[in-house]
Amino acid sequence: MDTLKKILFSNRLTGVLFIAFAVAMAIGTFMDAGQETSPTPLTRNLIYNAWWFEAIMLLFVINFIGNIFKYNLLNKRKWPVLLLHLSWVFILLGAFVTRYISYEGVMSIREGATESSFLSEKTYLTVYIDGDYEIDGLQQRWYTERPVDFSPRMENKFSFNATFADIPISIKLTKFINGAEEDVVFDENGDYYLKIVESAGGMPHNHFLKDGSTENIHGTLYTLNNFIEGAVNISFDENYDLFINSPYDGEYIVMASMTQGLLEKNMPEPLNLRARYIINNQQLVFPKPVIKGVFDIVKKSELLKSDQDGLELLVSTPEESKLVRVIGGKGTNNAFKTFTVGNHDFTIRYGSKVYDLPFSIKLNDFIAEKYPGTDKSYSSFASEVTVVDEETFDYRIYMNNILNYQGFRFFQASFDPDEQGTILSVNHDFWGTLLTYIGYILLYI
């Protein structure tokens, strides 16, 4: 025991810990060079969230506390050294609270809308398992929510085993698809679909018209081989040539040749693929011909940035094994995917979890100011919001003006491309922030 104390509270160990800590931070910085954010999943998995990095910080705390008593730093003549040691202890304890207790995420609000929830910064794989299994007449369900952190820069590994109704079940990641989207892939036994890429709020959204169906896209009806008066009717013949008949005047521009044309209302005419149409104030592109197939998760074109990723999972029961693909990722909260394997029903979602606030925030106005003579270079941007609670009040959130309310801190992070909505970073870390600030104050003193 005495030998252990000498090792833990020696100046040599302190020096080694400082060097190891600095080297690890430097390596992490170089590994994240050129990335959009830092830390990335790679450095989080290999360094910052690794057990050995946390062990370094734990040894720091033990070493600093032990040195207080070893060198009698409680003596008032040694108060500067005592404050130095206490500052590091508080900073590291604050980091511990932030890492294991606190949480953060993002909140998107459109102008005039009110939100009372936000999406977590972390991503999770949520799984429900149902089957013919009851206890005391009550239907049973197995549930888990596992934090995951995947990256195309890593050899991603993830698996877990469960037992439901005494039956072993396993789920294993077999493939990570970076930059994925849901699309129709060819299948002889599938249905005919036409893909529409529509831009609302400055962001592209995929829609799929099924043969014989009708789709309502932001108040405008679109059909495929299903003529309806007052709708934008699209049809195709036996040669799969597409035609469009619109109740609105419109225009289009063919991307490849940059030729422009007018769309005359109530007049059927050939539909141009990969052309940008403007119909009833909506911007649309029909990127490819009608395809016979089924929906699947595929890698998105490198030319088109995707904010979602895909997971291919091998779900196994004693009766059957099945490959299943789900789409999601950081900042997404897609619908659950339901499927059956063996005698069990599975419900899976990949993405951020939803945190509910004890109050609401309404975005009254988003203000983006540009530098003179520029269209995309912003000098500042701010959110005029109203906090809706027992006591309602207005607040302006901008770069150095943070909304701090009921333990939640709201930062101005970004905004929608059409400047009609804001994106706020939300942090719930009262105790972690307090401990860290105490440490910094002591260090400054």
Side-chain angles (χ1 to χ4, degrees):
M1 181 61 71
D2 290 339
T3 302
L4 180 61
K5 287 181 179 179
K6 290 180 181 179
I7 294 174
L8 288 176
F9 308 143
S10 68
N11 290 328
R12 181 175 298 176
L13 176 62
T14 304
V16 171
L17 292 175
F18 269 115
I19 293 173
F21 187 80
V23 170
M25 295 287 285
I27 292 175
T29 301
F30 281 115
M31 292 176 67
D32 283 343
Q35 302 299 311
E36 293 184 1
T37 60
S38 181
T40 60
L42 178 65
T43 52
R44 280 196 296 266
N45 280 275
L46 296 184
I47 299 176
Y48 304 119
N49 292 349
W51 67 267
W52 57 267
F53 190 77
E54 295 181 345
I56 289 176
M57 292 189 285
L58 177 62
L59 288 174
F60 263 133
V61 173
I62 295 173
N63 184 268
F64 288 136
I65 294 176
N67 283 341
I68 292 174
F69 299 99
K70 178 181 178 180
Y71 296 106
N72 191 25
L73 299 182
L74 297 175
N75 188 314
K76 63 181 181 180
R77 291 179 298 178
K78 299 181 179 179
W79 68 266
V81 184
L82 173 65
L83 292 187
L84 180 65
H85 281 68
L86 289 177
S87 68
W88 278 99
V89 171
F90 275 106
I91 290 172
L92 293 171
L93 287 178
F96 173 84
V97 173
T98 299
R99 169 79 169 87
Y100 289 102
I101 300 176
S102 305
Y103 53 91
E104 59 183 339
V106 292
M107 171 186 275
S108 299
I109 319 176
R110 297 289 289 177
E111 284 187 350
T114 302
E115 294 290 344
S116 61
S117 61
F118 64 95
L119 297 178
S120 65
E121 178 76 14
K122 293 182 179 179
T123 55
Y124 297 84
L125 184 66
T126 304
V127 181
Y128 292 94
I129 304 176
D130 297 284
D132 187 15
Y133 180 48
E134 296 182 355
I135 296 180
D136 297 331
L138 297 176
Q139 190 73 30
Q140 300 299 301
R141 161 177 272 192
W142 189 89
Y143 161 79
T144 187
E145 189 176 65
R146 305 290 178 97
V148 293
D149 201 10
F150 301 129
S151 168
R153 303 169 67 198
M154 299 189 305
E155 184 179 349
N156 300 287
K157 295 181 179 180
F158 175 81
S159 65
F160 67 87
N161 299 313
T163 301
F164 183 71
D166 298 325
I167 297 176
I169 297 170
S170 69
I171 296 180
K172 181 181 180 181
L173 176 70
T174 57
K175 187 177 182 181
F176 173 73
I177 307 171
N178 180 49
E181 66 174 346
E182 187 174 42
D183 206 345
V184 178
V185 297
F186 176 77
D187 189 314
E188 186 62 38
N189 299 317
D191 297 305
Y192 286 102
Y193 290 93
L194 176 65
K195 182 177 181 179
I196 303 175
V197 181
E198 166 264 336
S199 177
M203 298 294 290
H205 305 277
N206 292 341
H207 303 269
F208 296 91
L209 275 177
K210 185 179 178 181
D211 186 19
S213 71
T214 303
E215 177 88 7
N216 187 328
I217 302 179
H218 304 299
T220 302
L221 295 180
Y222 293 82
T223 72
L224 183 61
N225 284 347
N226 181 33
F227 187 90
I228 295 178
E229 193 71 35
V232 178
N233 294 289
I234 303 172
S235 59
F236 64 93
D237 57 21
E238 63 277 5
N239 297 319
Y240 304 109
D241 292 325
L242 287 160
F243 301 89
I244 184 170
N245 188 340
S246 170
Y248 313 98
D249 286 323
E251 59 184 78
Y252 63 87
I253 178 171
V254 180
M255 303 297 185
S257 61
M258 298 305 291
T259 56
Q260 301 182 29
L262 296 177
L263 184 65
E264 188 175 347
K265 68 178 183 180
N266 299 323
M267 290 292 294
E269 59 180 81
L271 176 67
N272 294 282
L273 297 177
R274 293 176 290 281
R276 187 190 67 184
Y277 279 83
I278 299 179
I279 302 174
N280 196 21
N281 295 319
Q282 293 182 337
Q283 296 190 44
L284 311 160
V285 175
F286 303 88
K288 54 187 178 182
V290 168
I291 184 173
K292 187 177 185 180
V294 295
F295 285 100
D296 198 0
I297 308 301
V298 298
K299 185 172 179 60
K300 197 168 186 178
S301 169
E302 296 291 344
L303 298 176
L304 301 173
K305 182 180 178 181
S306 175
D307 295 326
Q308 300 192 80
D309 300 314
L311 304 182
E312 183 181 83
L313 303 168
L314 177 63
V315 182
S316 301
T317 69
E319 298 87 8
E320 184 185 6
S321 293
K322 181 182 292 186
L323 284 174
V324 179
R325 289 185 173 184
V326 294
I327 189 170
K330 178 180 174 181
T332 65
N333 185 40
N334 297 332
F336 281 94
K337 182 167 187 174
T338 301
F339 55 92
T340 300
V341 180
N343 298 319
H344 294 82
D345 296 323
F346 291 80
T347 306
I348 291 181
R349 179 167 64 192
Y350 167 55
S352 298
K353 69 161 65 173
V354 178
Y355 288 113
D356 292 319
L357 295 169
F359 53 90
S360 301
I361 293 182
K362 178 182 179 181
L363 178 63
N364 301 314
D365 189 23
F366 177 77
I367 303 169
E369 297 181 357
K370 303 181 179 69
Y371 288 107
T374 63
D375 292 329
K376 295 296 183 180
S377 184
Y378 295 90
S379 59
S380 65
F381 43 91
S383 299
E384 301 281 357
V385 303
T386 297
V387 177
V388 183
D389 202 359
E390 294 179 358
E391 294 183 5
T392 300
F393 62 93
D394 296 329
Y395 199 85
R396 181 184 174 94
I397 305 174
Y398 53 93
M399 183 176 295
N400 294 316
N401 203 50
I402 302 165
L403 171 59
N404 195 339
Y405 185 69
Q406 290 198 20
F408 293 89
R409 292 161 60 85
F410 297 85
F411 305 81
Q412 183 64 61
S414 185
F415 54 91
D416 295 341
D418 64 353
E419 302 178 14
Q420 299 298 309
T422 188
I423 299 176
L424 303 176
S425 175
V426 188
N427 181 280
H428 187 265
D429 186 27
F430 174 79
W431 290 108
T433 302
L434 178 62
L435 290 171
T436 304
Y437 281 3
I438 291 174
Y440 287 143
I441 291 171
L442 294 177
L443 185 62
Y444 177 78
I445 294 174

